[in-house]
Amino acid sequence: VDRQFDTIAGKLSLAESKVFRALPERPLSEVLAKPSLRAIASECPNCGAHLALSPRAKIAFCATCALGIRISADRLEPCGYALGEVCGAPGVEASVGFPFWALPFRLRAGGREFTRVWDWLESVSAQPAAALFRENDPEQSRLFIPARAIFGTRELDDAFNALTATATWRQPSVRVERAAPGGALRLLDVELESDEATALARYSLVALHDAQSTRSLTGLGFRELIAKAELVPGEPTLVLLPLPLHGGHWLPCPPDAAGQPARMPPGMRPVPRELLEDDGSISR
Protein backbone atom coordinates (compact mmCIF):
# COMPACT_ATOMS: atom_id res chain seq x y z
CA VAL A 1 0.00 0.00 0.00
CA ASP A 2 1.41 3.35 -1.09
CA ARG A 3 0.34 5.72 1.71
CA GLN A 4 1.46 8.81 -0.20
CA PHE A 5 -0.73 8.28 -3.26
CA ASP A 6 -3.39 5.99 -1.68
CA THR A 7 -2.78 3.29 -4.24
CA ILE A 8 -2.43 -0.43 -3.82
CA ALA A 9 0.45 -2.20 -5.50
CA GLY A 10 0.07 -5.84 -6.44
CA LYS A 11 1.67 -8.49 -8.59
CA LEU A 12 -0.57 -10.83 -10.57
CA SER A 13 0.20 -12.72 -13.73
CA LEU A 14 -1.94 -12.05 -16.81
CA ALA A 15 -3.77 -15.36 -16.29
CA GLU A 16 -4.43 -14.61 -12.62
CA SER A 17 -5.72 -11.10 -13.27
CA LYS A 18 -8.16 -12.34 -15.90
CA VAL A 19 -10.58 -13.42 -13.17
CA PHE A 20 -10.57 -9.99 -11.58
CA ARG A 21 -10.84 -8.09 -14.85
CA ALA A 22 -13.99 -10.06 -15.64
CA LEU A 23 -15.78 -8.82 -12.50
CA PRO A 24 -18.38 -6.06 -13.02
CA GLU A 25 -17.65 -2.63 -11.70
CA ARG A 26 -19.06 -1.80 -8.25
CA PRO A 27 -19.24 1.45 -6.29
CA LEU A 28 -16.34 1.87 -3.90
CA SER A 29 -18.77 2.15 -0.95
CA GLU A 30 -19.87 -1.43 -1.60
CA VAL A 31 -16.33 -2.74 -1.77
CA LEU A 32 -14.88 -1.00 1.28
CA ALA A 33 -16.94 -1.41 4.46
CA LYS A 34 -16.12 1.48 6.77
CA PRO A 35 -16.28 0.73 10.49
CA SER A 36 -19.06 2.47 12.36
CA LEU A 37 -19.61 3.14 16.04
CA ARG A 38 -23.00 3.65 17.68
CA ALA A 39 -23.01 5.98 20.66
CA ILE A 40 -25.73 6.28 23.28
CA ALA A 41 -25.95 9.02 25.87
CA SER A 42 -24.90 7.83 29.32
CA GLU A 43 -27.65 9.75 31.08
CA CYS A 44 -30.37 8.50 33.39
CA PRO A 45 -33.65 8.11 31.44
CA ASN A 46 -35.50 9.52 34.45
CA CYS A 47 -33.52 12.42 35.89
CA GLY A 48 -30.86 13.01 33.24
CA ALA A 49 -27.96 12.57 35.67
CA HIS A 50 -24.64 11.39 34.25
CA LEU A 51 -24.06 7.66 34.67
CA ALA A 52 -20.66 6.07 35.25
CA LEU A 53 -21.34 2.65 33.71
CA SER A 54 -19.19 -0.38 34.36
CA PRO A 55 -18.33 -2.43 31.26
CA ARG A 56 -19.58 -5.53 33.13
CA ALA A 57 -22.95 -4.06 34.10
CA LYS A 58 -26.13 -5.50 32.58
CA ILE A 59 -28.34 -3.41 34.86
CA ALA A 60 -27.09 -0.32 36.68
CA PHE A 61 -28.70 2.06 39.16
CA CYS A 62 -28.75 5.83 39.02
CA ALA A 63 -26.90 7.30 41.99
CA THR A 64 -29.24 10.31 41.97
CA CYS A 65 -32.76 8.84 41.69
CA ALA A 66 -32.06 5.08 42.24
CA LEU A 67 -33.74 4.12 38.97
CA GLY A 68 -32.84 0.65 37.68
CA ILE A 69 -31.46 0.93 34.15
CA ARG A 70 -31.03 -1.96 31.71
CA ILE A 71 -28.05 -1.47 29.40
CA SER A 72 -28.07 -2.67 25.81
CA ALA A 73 -26.19 -1.80 22.64
CA ASP A 74 -29.11 0.34 21.47
CA ARG A 75 -30.43 2.13 24.51
CA LEU A 76 -30.71 2.62 28.24
CA GLU A 77 -34.18 1.79 29.53
CA PRO A 78 -35.82 1.69 32.97
CA CYS A 79 -35.89 -1.65 34.75
CA GLY A 80 -38.04 -2.46 37.76
CA TYR A 81 -36.78 -4.20 40.88
CA ALA A 82 -37.90 -5.17 44.37
CA LEU A 83 -36.21 -3.90 47.51
CA GLY A 84 -35.70 -5.74 50.76
CA GLU A 85 -36.17 -4.14 54.14
CA VAL A 86 -33.19 -2.03 55.18
CA CYS A 87 -31.50 -3.57 58.20
CA GLY A 88 -31.09 -1.10 61.05
CA ALA A 89 -29.24 -3.31 63.53
CA PRO A 90 -26.88 -1.60 66.02
CA GLY A 91 -23.32 -1.07 64.87
CA VAL A 92 -24.05 -0.88 61.13
CA GLU A 93 -21.53 1.48 59.53
CA ALA A 94 -22.90 1.27 55.97
CA SER A 95 -25.02 -0.94 53.71
CA VAL A 96 -24.75 -2.17 50.15
CA GLY A 97 -27.74 -3.15 48.04
CA PHE A 98 -26.66 -6.51 46.64
CA PRO A 99 -28.64 -7.74 43.59
CA PHE A 100 -30.18 -11.21 43.41
CA TRP A 101 -32.34 -13.01 40.90
CA ALA A 102 -35.15 -14.55 42.95
CA LEU A 103 -36.71 -17.63 41.35
CA PRO A 104 -39.87 -19.35 42.62
CA PHE A 105 -38.69 -22.45 44.48
CA ARG A 106 -40.26 -25.41 42.74
CA LEU A 107 -38.08 -28.48 43.00
CA ARG A 108 -38.72 -32.10 42.06
CA ALA A 109 -36.49 -34.42 44.05
CA GLY A 110 -36.69 -37.80 45.75
CA GLY A 111 -40.09 -38.53 44.26
CA ARG A 112 -41.63 -35.35 45.69
CA GLU A 113 -42.28 -31.82 44.53
CA PHE A 114 -41.22 -29.05 46.89
CA THR A 115 -42.37 -25.42 46.83
CA ARG A 116 -41.31 -24.66 50.40
CA VAL A 117 -37.53 -24.57 50.82
CA TRP A 118 -37.68 -25.76 54.44
CA ASP A 119 -39.56 -28.93 53.50
CA TRP A 120 -36.76 -29.75 51.08
CA LEU A 121 -33.96 -28.92 53.52
CA GLU A 122 -35.54 -30.88 56.36
CA SER A 123 -36.04 -33.92 54.10
CA VAL A 124 -32.30 -34.39 54.68
CA SER A 125 -32.22 -33.50 58.38
CA ALA A 126 -32.99 -30.69 60.77
CA GLN A 127 -31.25 -27.42 59.90
CA PRO A 128 -30.47 -25.80 63.28
CA ALA A 129 -28.00 -23.19 62.05
CA ALA A 130 -30.03 -22.23 58.99
CA ALA A 131 -33.23 -21.95 61.02
CA LEU A 132 -31.73 -19.03 62.96
CA PHE A 133 -32.01 -16.92 59.78
CA ARG A 134 -35.64 -17.66 58.99
CA GLU A 135 -37.66 -14.45 58.93
CA ASN A 136 -40.60 -15.71 56.89
CA ASP A 137 -41.83 -19.12 55.82
CA PRO A 138 -44.06 -18.68 52.75
CA GLU A 139 -45.78 -21.60 51.06
CA GLN A 140 -44.02 -20.56 47.84
CA SER A 141 -40.39 -20.00 48.71
CA ARG A 142 -37.86 -18.24 46.51
CA LEU A 143 -34.32 -19.25 45.59
CA PHE A 144 -32.01 -16.23 45.71
CA ILE A 145 -29.05 -16.43 43.32
CA PRO A 146 -26.41 -13.62 43.38
CA ALA A 147 -26.61 -11.50 40.24
CA ARG A 148 -22.93 -10.57 40.24
CA ALA A 149 -19.94 -12.53 38.93
CA ILE A 150 -18.80 -13.49 42.40
CA PHE A 151 -17.26 -16.88 41.70
CA GLY A 152 -13.96 -18.34 40.53
CA THR A 153 -11.55 -18.27 43.46
CA ARG A 154 -12.09 -19.91 46.84
CA GLU A 155 -12.86 -16.62 48.59
CA LEU A 156 -15.36 -15.61 45.89
CA ASP A 157 -17.00 -19.05 45.96
CA ASP A 158 -17.33 -18.86 49.75
CA ALA A 159 -18.97 -15.44 49.41
CA PHE A 160 -21.34 -16.79 46.73
CA ASN A 161 -22.35 -19.67 49.02
CA ALA A 162 -22.93 -17.36 51.99
CA LEU A 163 -25.00 -14.91 49.94
CA THR A 164 -27.13 -17.67 48.40
CA ALA A 165 -27.74 -19.47 51.67
CA THR A 166 -28.38 -16.43 53.84
CA ALA A 167 -30.82 -14.78 51.43
CA THR A 168 -32.75 -18.00 50.75
CA TRP A 169 -32.84 -18.97 54.42
CA ARG A 170 -34.24 -15.56 55.30
CA GLN A 171 -37.06 -15.50 52.73
CA PRO A 172 -37.12 -11.72 53.29
CA SER A 173 -40.12 -9.52 52.71
CA VAL A 174 -39.62 -7.23 49.70
CA ARG A 175 -41.57 -4.39 48.15
CA VAL A 176 -41.56 -3.25 44.53
CA GLU A 177 -40.21 0.26 44.84
CA ARG A 178 -37.02 2.23 44.43
CA ALA A 179 -34.42 2.73 47.07
CA ALA A 180 -34.33 6.14 48.72
CA PRO A 181 -32.57 8.50 46.26
CA GLY A 182 -29.26 9.74 47.58
CA GLY A 183 -29.48 7.48 50.63
CA ALA A 184 -26.65 5.71 52.41
CA LEU A 185 -27.44 2.44 50.60
CA ARG A 186 -25.01 1.87 47.73
CA LEU A 187 -26.67 -0.12 44.94
CA LEU A 188 -24.37 -2.58 43.16
CA ASP A 189 -24.67 -3.31 39.42
CA VAL A 190 -26.26 -6.47 38.08
CA GLU A 191 -23.63 -8.45 36.13
CA LEU A 192 -25.55 -11.67 35.40
CA GLU A 193 -28.75 -11.92 33.41
CA SER A 194 -31.46 -14.12 34.89
CA ASP A 195 -30.67 -17.05 32.57
CA GLU A 196 -26.97 -16.87 33.51
CA ALA A 197 -27.90 -16.94 37.19
CA THR A 198 -30.33 -19.83 36.69
CA ALA A 199 -27.47 -21.86 35.26
CA LEU A 200 -25.89 -21.67 38.74
CA ALA A 201 -29.02 -22.99 40.47
CA ARG A 202 -27.72 -26.51 41.14
CA TYR A 203 -24.54 -25.06 42.60
CA SER A 204 -26.73 -22.83 44.77
CA LEU A 205 -28.76 -25.78 46.05
CA VAL A 206 -25.64 -27.33 47.59
CA ALA A 207 -24.92 -24.07 49.44
CA LEU A 208 -28.31 -24.12 51.19
CA HIS A 209 -27.54 -27.05 53.52
CA ASP A 210 -25.82 -25.83 56.64
CA ALA A 211 -22.56 -27.47 57.65
CA GLN A 212 -24.19 -29.41 60.49
CA SER A 213 -26.91 -31.02 58.38
CA THR A 214 -24.63 -32.34 55.63
CA ARG A 215 -23.40 -35.05 58.01
CA SER A 216 -26.75 -36.77 57.49
CA LEU A 217 -26.56 -36.38 53.71
CA THR A 218 -25.43 -39.78 52.40
CA GLY A 219 -24.24 -40.38 48.86
CA LEU A 220 -27.66 -41.78 47.95
CA GLY A 221 -29.46 -38.87 49.58
CA PHE A 222 -27.23 -36.38 47.77
CA ARG A 223 -27.91 -38.01 44.43
CA GLU A 224 -31.69 -38.18 44.91
CA LEU A 225 -32.26 -34.83 46.59
CA ILE A 226 -29.62 -32.63 44.92
CA ALA A 227 -27.74 -34.17 41.99
CA LYS A 228 -30.93 -35.42 40.32
CA ALA A 229 -33.11 -32.59 41.56
CA GLU A 230 -35.06 -30.82 38.84
CA LEU A 231 -35.61 -27.13 39.37
CA VAL A 232 -38.60 -25.84 37.45
CA PRO A 233 -37.64 -22.18 37.01
CA GLY A 234 -40.44 -19.66 37.10
CA GLU A 235 -40.33 -15.98 36.23
CA PRO A 236 -37.27 -14.46 37.97
CA THR A 237 -37.51 -11.19 39.87
CA LEU A 238 -34.67 -8.76 40.43
CA VAL A 239 -34.34 -8.16 44.17
CA LEU A 240 -31.91 -5.86 45.97
CA LEU A 241 -31.17 -6.92 49.54
CA PRO A 242 -29.40 -4.46 51.86
CA LEU A 243 -26.35 -6.08 53.42
CA PRO A 244 -25.16 -4.33 56.62
CA LEU A 245 -21.42 -3.77 56.95
CA HIS A 246 -19.48 -4.02 60.19
CA GLY A 247 -15.78 -3.13 60.15
CA GLY A 248 -15.71 -3.17 56.35
CA HIS A 249 -17.24 -6.67 56.18
CA TRP A 250 -20.62 -8.24 55.66
CA LEU A 251 -21.24 -10.92 58.27
CA PRO A 252 -23.56 -13.77 57.20
CA CYS A 253 -25.35 -13.95 60.53
CA PRO A 254 -28.95 -13.39 61.76
CA PRO A 255 -30.21 -9.79 61.77
CA ASP A 256 -30.35 -9.65 65.57
CA ALA A 257 -26.69 -10.68 65.90
CA ALA A 258 -25.57 -7.03 65.70
CA GLY A 259 -22.43 -7.90 63.77
CA GLN A 260 -21.10 -10.56 66.13
CA PRO A 261 -18.89 -13.01 64.17
CA ALA A 262 -19.57 -15.68 66.78
CA ARG A 263 -23.19 -15.85 65.55
CA MET A 264 -22.16 -16.96 62.05
CA PRO A 265 -22.96 -20.56 61.04
CA PRO A 266 -20.06 -23.05 60.94
CA GLY A 267 -18.05 -22.81 57.75
CA MET A 268 -19.02 -19.22 56.95
CA ARG A 269 -16.58 -16.33 57.14
CA PRO A 270 -16.90 -12.54 57.07
CA VAL A 271 -17.06 -11.25 53.48
CA PRO A 272 -14.92 -8.15 52.81
CA ARG A 273 -16.66 -5.25 51.15
CA GLU A 274 -14.09 -5.43 48.33
CA LEU A 275 -15.45 -8.86 47.33
CA LEU A 276 -19.03 -7.65 47.23
CA GLU A 277 -18.10 -4.60 45.16
CA ASP A 278 -15.48 -6.34 42.98
CA ASP A 279 -15.13 -4.57 39.63
CA GLY A 280 -13.26 -7.44 37.98
CA SER A 281 -9.89 -6.70 39.54
CA ILE A 282 -9.90 -9.93 41.59
CA SER A 283 -8.31 -12.73 39.61
CA ARG A 284 -10.56 -15.62 38.61
Side-chain angles (χ1 to χ4, degrees):
V1 179
D2 188 328
R3 296 296 183 186
Q4 182 175 359
F5 298 102
D6 290 330
T7 59
I8 301 176
K11 184 176 181 181
L12 291 175
S13 68
L14 186 61
E16 291 172 322
S17 65
K18 182 179 180 180
V19 177
F20 294 96
R21 287 187 283 112
L23 295 174
E25 292 185 3
R26 295 167 57 193
L28 184 62
S29 59
E30 294 181 10
V31 179
L32 297 179
K34 296 183 179 180
S36 62
L37 181 66
R38 182 182 179 87
I40 56 175
S42 58
E43 297 176 347
C44 174
N46 178 56
C47 68
H50 173 70
L51 302 173
L53 300 176
S54 163
R56 303 202 312 173
K58 304 292 179 64
I59 299 174
F61 301 91
C62 177
T64 302
C65 69
L67 179 74
I69 304 167
R70 178 169 289 281
I71 304 167
S72 69
D74 299 319
R75 66 181 68 87
L76 302 178
E77 55 185 356
C79 175
Y81 61 91
L83 182 68
E85 183 178 352
V86 177
C87 180
V92 175
E93 63 188 36
S95 297
V96 294
F98 197 93
F100 293 83
W101 287 109
L103 283 67
F105 188 87
R106 187 180 173 197
L107 194 72
R108 295 171 183 158
R112 296 175 56 187
E113 182 167 303
F114 300 91
T115 59
R116 182 174 170 269
V117 69
W118 291 100
D119 288 340
W120 175 70
L121 288 173
E122 291 167 357
S123 66
V124 174
S125 68
Q127 306 278 320
L132 297 174
F133 289 75
R134 181 164 47 191
E135 298 175 11
N136 297 292
D137 191 7
E139 289 297 321
Q140 176 66 72
S141 300
R142 289 171 295 179
L143 175 62
F144 288 83
I145 304 178
R148 289 176 63 81
I150 187 164
F151 46 80
T153 64
R154 177 61 184 270
E155 58 181 355
L156 287 170
D157 286 348
D158 287 346
F160 181 95
N161 291 341
L163 288 163
T164 298
T166 301
T168 304
W169 288 342
R170 284 179 55 196
Q171 292 297 304
S173 298
V174 298
R175 56 190 185 278
V176 181
E177 66 179 34
R178 291 189 215 165
L185 182 67
R186 186 190 172 198
L187 307 180
L188 303 182
D189 295 337
V190 174
E191 297 175 347
L192 300 180
E193 293 286 8
S194 57
D195 57 340
E196 296 175 297
T198 303
L200 300 170
R202 191 175 301 279
Y203 180 61
S204 301
L205 293 178
V206 178
L208 296 183
H209 294 276
D210 69 46
Q212 302 279 338
S213 73
T214 52
R215 297 175 183 175
S216 302
L217 194 61
T218 64
L220 178 61
F222 180 88
R223 186 166 64 251
E224 293 298 321
L225 293 171
I226 298 178
K228 290 185 177 180
E230 179 187 359
L231 180 68
V232 183
E235 187 66 27
T237 302
L238 179 60
V239 177
L240 297 183
L241 295 183
L243 303 182
L245 301 177
H246 299 81
H249 292 71
W250 169 65
L251 306 180
C253 53
D256 60 356
Q260 300 175 28
R263 296 286 303 277
M264 291 190 298
M268 287 190 178
R269 302 177 181 84
V271 179
R273 182 173 190 165
E274 297 77 44
L275 288 186
L276 300 174
E277 300 180 347
D278 174 42
D279 59 359
S281 58
I282 298 177
S283 60
R284 259 63 179 177

